[in-house]
Amino acid sequence: MPSPDLPTEAPSFALRAPALALRLPAEAPSLAEAVAQAVRDGVAAGELVPDRTYSVYQLAELLGVSRSPVREGMLRLAEAGLVEIRRNRGFRVLPPRAHDVAEIIEIRLWLEPPAARKAAAHGTDEQHAAIRAALDTMAAAAAGGDEAAFWPADRTLHDLLLRAAGNARAAGIVAQLRSTTALLGPPTTASGRALAQIHAEHEPVVTAVIARDGAAAEAAMRTHLEATGALLVANLTARR
């Protein structure tokens, strides 16, 4: 069902947006995700600017898609705090805020370090083997400089840890939080953090989990998330 805040019929006034060069990313898992990513990329490139209202209809035409995935993509961006839906008009870009990322990391710190402890104590041998396999995939991707393979393996590792802790609901929450973080700004590799360094931060987490050392697993996960959060906040702060 379409959002009541986004028009389902073209408004009688035509919002004239400037010429844009937005493109749909081919690797996106859905059209709505592709639209959201295209808009985020446009914000990062300065093509979409704050305090200007953009037409959903023109964006759909520009990207060569129907209005439905555009509306869905805009709603996702609104949930992330990157756009404001303007009733019966379109959307307005909001500057990404470091505070938004800080809040997300704070929530993840509530969920993931205790989950790593539980995964160490209660995860099965099969779950631990899958966690190690995800880390090995990260290592191979890091060695080859393959970000396209690295980030899915990273997400899989965090998801497996949460599920090994017996909390599928937390896994869903963290997955959504990570999607929101991706919309708010570039990954930490954009500031020079190497894939090998990110892999190295996960290594003590997995080692402790497999050794069933809950305290060490919790501490290592906390260290990793705090380092990630500090870099993401610094990246956004520097762009302001």
Side-chain angles (χ1 to χ4, degrees):
M1 179 179 296
S3 165
D5 291 328
L6 285 171
T8 57
E9 301 294 339
S12 57
F13 54 91
L15 294 175
R16 302 306 302 169
L20 301 173
L22 303 185
R23 296 290 183 272
L24 287 175
E27 70 277 7
S30 69
L31 272 179
E33 292 284 355
V35 170
Q37 186 62 44
V39 171
R40 194 202 71 78
D41 291 345
V43 173
E47 294 179 340
L48 296 171
V49 298
D51 300 322
R52 185 193 298 265
T53 299
Y54 294 92
S55 166
V56 169
Y57 310 96
Q58 290 173 343
L59 182 60
E61 182 178 357
L62 174 67
L63 295 175
V65 298
S66 70
R67 293 191 297 273
S68 292
V70 172
R71 284 194 292 265
E72 185 178 347
M74 291 305 98
L75 290 174
R76 294 183 186 186
L77 289 171
E79 290 175 359
L82 194 59
V83 304
E84 175 188 60
I85 304 301
R86 311 203 77 175
R87 188 173 182 83
N88 294 324
R89 299 187 67 194
F91 66 94
R92 181 173 70 91
V93 170
L94 301 175
R97 300 181 304 168
H99 177 69
D100 294 329
V101 171
E103 284 185 340
I104 289 171
I105 295 298
E106 183 177 8
I107 296 170
R108 291 184 64 184
L109 283 167
W110 290 339
L111 296 174
E112 294 192 72
R117 178 187 283 269
K118 290 182 180 179
H122 304 300
T124 66
D125 290 343
E126 290 77 11
Q127 287 173 321
H128 286 184
I131 290 166
R132 167 55 71 179
L135 183 70
D136 290 344
T137 300
M138 289 175 65
D146 186 356
E147 288 202 41
F150 185 88
W151 293 118
D154 181 302
R155 289 191 293 271
T156 296
L157 175 57
H158 283 261
D159 183 77
L160 288 171
L161 285 166
L162 287 158
R163 294 182 187 279
N167 199 332
R169 191 177 299 276
I173 291 170
V174 169
Q176 181 59 49
L177 291 172
R178 292 188 63 145
S179 295
T180 299
T181 304
L183 292 172
L184 288 170
T188 54
T189 48
S191 60
R193 189 186 193 199
L195 295 179
Q197 180 182 352
I198 301 171
H199 167 264
E201 291 178 10
H202 288 80
E203 178 70 49
V205 179
V206 174
T207 298
V209 166
I210 292 174
R212 299 194 179 276
D213 186 343
E218 181 173 1
M221 179 61 80
R222 187 172 302 279
T223 296
H224 162 58
L225 289 176
E226 287 176 344
T228 298
L231 282 171
L232 289 171
V233 168
N235 285 348
L236 280 177
T237 302
R239 291 168 59 193
R240 292 183 66 85

